[in-house]
Each structure stands twice: as structure tokens, then as C-alpha cells.
Amino acid sequence: TQHDGDDDHHAAKADNKDVVEISDPVASAEGSVRPSIHVQLIRHAESANNQVYRDARRLFRGGTPSFDLEGWETYVDQHRSADPGLSDVGVEQAEKLAEYLVEDLAGRASRPVRVVTSPMRRTLETIRPTLERLRLAAANEQEDSKSQPAASCIVNAFYHESEGCHVKDKPRPGMNRHEISDMLVPNALASPSDLSFDGFDPHDDSAGWYAHGTGPETRPESEVRAARFYVWLCEYLDQQLKEASHAADVFDAGVDGAPLLRRTVLLVGHGDFMALLLKRIIAGFGYAHEREGVTHRSAFVHHNTGTTDLEYFGSGRFLLMASNRTPHLPRSMLTGGGLKDGWSYLMPDDKFVLEQETAVAFSDEGDGH
């Protein structure tokens, strides 16, 4: 289908010399122009639930042969919230992140800094200090430099954490558009026009982002949603790249002498769902999904407020530049990104890796080898 329209494409190019082409993944070669957008994934700061799970592992000897599963489950049921805010440590982490990001973005990001965030309270509380500082910094500048807002924000209802919003398997609706707007406007975002929503009920402003939920999201449902969000993200970023012909902040950053300030997108999300998304970014659609009863063959781990840097070149092409960076945190404030935080439980048993992953999932790839 791509090559059927080649004649029309070249004719159109001849008629319009201002056409700007995004490099073709097949035809591109050394020396071609390759504009990209900087994408930064950020895990939320430590939530009250993160602290509940951490305390439960300590109290009930998680990860040891004497693990008290019943005690652990009872403790978590009694203390877990459907949509928690940040813990005391998480509030400090969010402030440290804001201090770092505002200085870092000032030297590399154009305006507005584009933010895509989960609708869950902990992600909003994580990015709010950064948005507040960006707005304050912009307000202190000269009037003639205020043509663009400091930041814009999309709250995407499909970017929530795996399992959704629930307590003891009973769904909770989550916050609605009015409640989220009250959290961000006007202190974090200057105007309601700087805030938009995707995936919410378009006909009911009072409906929460998880109003459709019937209980905890299943693992296969999380996988399907990760695929959908991956497609949404690629389409969103492709739209940004289409502005390359008339936007000074979208260019080939690999060229010496290129401008410093670049179009930048921050995605503020959750540890597990970020791992599902990164599986698709790194591997595409092929064999990136989990199967019923079989957990991760591989996963991407992030500390709270850990960041992963990507370059996006269009049509689903990503370049992974760095993963799980925490330059803003002292070692004493690192949480949520270690084996003691439960990540080892994502790894399947040997028999599943051999029988399910290799013999079944990879069977057609192995044909002829």
C-alpha cells in the first residue's frame, strides 16, 4: 500500500517544493535529515499505597520462606486506597523532581512543555510541583517572551496503572474532569485552555475516568490497553512531527549546530504500566504481550520519579537513550525500584519460560532455524 501511491507522492512533491518529508525507515541513509522529538517517561513519586506494600513486606517477611501471605493480604486490604495521593517521602521526591526538571528543561525544551499524565491522583500530585515552577519561571520573564504557555497537559484516561481503580475488588470511579481541573488550574496551569482530556466520557463531565470499570482490570485487559495507548502515543507524536515544516523546535538534533530548545513530551505514569508500554516501544507488537497465567518474560523497572529518555522519529520508531535515571534523588530517597519492592514476582517460573514462552509463543519464529 505504501508503494502504490509513490507516483502521486512524487508528483505532489514536484508541484510543491516546500513539502517536508519525515525520513523513510527503508530509504533513509547517512546524511538524511531525521527530525525527532524528545520523550521522557516519568514514574510517579512514592504513593501512600507504595508505602503500604513496603510496610507489608517488612512486617510479614515478604520474599522469605517464612512469608505470611494471609497477614500480608489482610494488612493491604485494611490500608490500601483506590486512588491514593503521595506519601510523605513521595511529596519530597516530587519536589526534588521539580527542582531538577525545571532547571533541566530550561536548557533543552521549547514551550510549551507537553505533558501527558495518568488521571490517578499520585501522578497529578507528582507533576504538579513541576508545572507550578514552570509557570512561575515563565511569569518572571519579560512580557515579550510569553507568547507560549510554559506547559500544556493532556490527562489520558488510558494511561492509568494496571488493575485500575478499586478497593477489595470493588471499582471506584476515580476523579472526573472538574476535580482534576481544580487540582491543576490556575496554580499549575495558567488557563483551562492549557488542560485537555482524552478517554473520559464526552457526555458526562461528572463521570470519573474509571466509571466504566466493573472491578480490577485483568492482566490481559492491561495488555490490550497498553497496546491501545501505544498506538495513541505514536499517533500523538506523529502529529507533533507533522508540524516540522513550520515549527522551529522540531529538527534533526544529531546535527552539529542544531538549536538547543526542542519539542519535549513528558509522560507521567506508573511502574507496571510503563513496563507494558516500554515492551511495545522496544519490541513493537510481536510477542510483546503476556499470556493468561504467564507473567513477564522481561520487564522495565523504575524507581519512584525515575525517568526514561527516548527519541521518537515517527511511524513507531523509538530510540532508547537512557532508563530509570534518578539524578535528582540521593540514594536514601530511592524507593520502588528494587527487588525488595516486589519486582522479582513478575518473573515466571522456569517451566513457563521454556514451555509457554519458547515452545509456544516463539514457535513460528523458530521455524526454519
Side-chain angles (χ1 to χ4, degrees):
T1 304
Q2 178 181 350
H3 298 290
D4 289 344
D6 281 354
D7 293 339
D8 291 339
H9 168 75
H10 291 302
K13 185 179 178 184
D15 292 338
N16 183 3
K17 293 182 174 57
D18 294 328
V19 170
V20 176
E21 288 191 294
I22 303 302
S23 56
D24 189 306
V26 177
S28 62
E30 184 67 27
S32 62
V33 177
R34 299 181 180 181
S36 65
I37 295 173
H38 182 66
V39 181
Q40 193 166 39
L41 273 62
I42 305 173
R43 186 187 178 191
H44 63 79
E46 185 186 65
S47 74
N49 279 357
N50 288 146
Q51 186 168 346
V52 166
Y53 286 116
R54 183 156 47 85
D55 291 345
R57 285 179 60 79
R58 175 179 53 83
L59 292 170
F60 301 100
R61 304 174 297 282
T64 71
S66 59
F67 176 48
D68 179 1
L69 176 60
E70 182 178 354
W72 185 90
E73 290 178 340
T74 300
Y75 182 88
V76 169
D77 283 344
Q78 291 175 345
H79 294 85
R80 182 185 178 279
S81 169
D83 191 11
L86 299 182
S87 68
D88 292 341
V89 172
V91 171
E92 292 185 60
Q93 291 171 336
E95 290 295 336
K96 292 285 188 183
L97 176 69
E99 292 174 10
Y100 167 75
L101 277 181
V102 170
E103 181 177 356
D104 183 52
L105 292 169
R108 64 175 175 84
S110 63
R111 288 184 180 170
V113 175
R114 290 159 170 82
V115 175
V116 177
T117 180
S118 154
M120 302 192 86
R121 188 177 300 275
R122 54 192 180 271
T123 54
L124 299 170
E125 290 185 3
T126 295
I127 199 60
R128 184 168 57 185
T130 297
L131 293 172
E132 290 173 348
R133 288 171 184 253
L134 286 173
R135 187 189 173 201
L136 181 61
N140 291 333
E141 294 179 359
Q142 296 297 322
E143 289 296 327
D144 58 3
S145 65
K146 296 181 181 178
S147 58
Q148 292 281 2
S152 62
C153 182
I154 299 174
V155 181
N156 191 303
F158 297 112
Y159 199 40
H160 63 80
E161 180 59 305
S162 305
E163 295 191 6
C165 190
H166 68 95
V167 171
K168 297 182 180 180
D169 295 340
K170 294 182 179 179
R172 296 291 185 268
M175 289 189 290
N176 60 39
R177 282 178 284 195
H178 293 304
E179 292 166 328
I180 293 174
S181 294
D182 289 343
M183 286 186 67
L184 299 179
V185 180
N187 293 327
L189 296 169
S191 167
S193 64
D194 300 330
L195 177 65
S196 59
F197 297 86
D198 207 316
F200 286 69
D201 187 335
H203 307 295
D204 186 358
D205 288 347
S206 66
W209 57 268
Y210 201 64
H212 64 281
T214 57
E217 183 182 57
T218 66
R219 199 64 188 175
E221 287 171 343
S222 295
E223 288 281 356
V224 169
R225 179 166 56 85
R228 289 177 175 171
F229 183 78
Y230 169 79
V231 173
W232 179 92
L233 177 62
C234 289
E235 291 180 346
Y236 169 74
L237 295 174
D238 282 337
Q239 184 61 42
Q240 299 294 320
L241 278 176
K242 285 182 180 179
E243 299 179 9
S245 60
H246 56 80
D249 62 343
V250 180
F251 50 84
D252 188 338
V255 177
D256 290 338
L260 293 177
L261 300 182
R262 307 179 55 207
R263 189 160 302 200
T264 301
V265 178
L266 308 181
L267 280 86
V268 189
H270 307 266
D272 188 64
F273 196 72
M274 284 167 61
L276 297 182
L277 176 62
L278 278 166
K279 283 198 300 180
R280 282 156 179 83
I281 287 175
I282 301 303
F285 287 103
Y287 308 115
H289 65 280
E290 297 170 24
R291 294 172 182 269
E292 187 72 45
V294 182
T295 52
H296 287 275
R297 181 170 43 82
S298 59
F300 297 84
V301 178
H302 288 82
H303 291 291
N304 293 116
T305 66
T307 66
T308 284
D309 294 282
L310 303 157
E311 290 292 330
Y312 185 74
F313 293 88
S315 302
R317 290 170 290 157
F318 287 89
L319 186 63
L320 178 64
M321 304 297 290
S323 182
N324 194 24
R325 296 177 63 250
T326 53
H328 53 288
L329 294 181
R331 184 175 293 273
S332 61
M333 290 186 66
L334 292 176
T335 61
L339 293 178
K340 291 184 179 179
D341 299 295
W343 286 98
S344 60
Y345 286 101
L346 291 178
M347 294 296 101
D349 294 334
D350 289 346
K351 66 176 183 178
F352 287 120
V353 175
L354 177 63
E355 296 174 6
Q356 297 294 326
E357 293 287 346
T358 304
V360 177
F362 289 171
S363 61
D364 56 340
E365 266 199 349
D367 288 347
H369 292 272

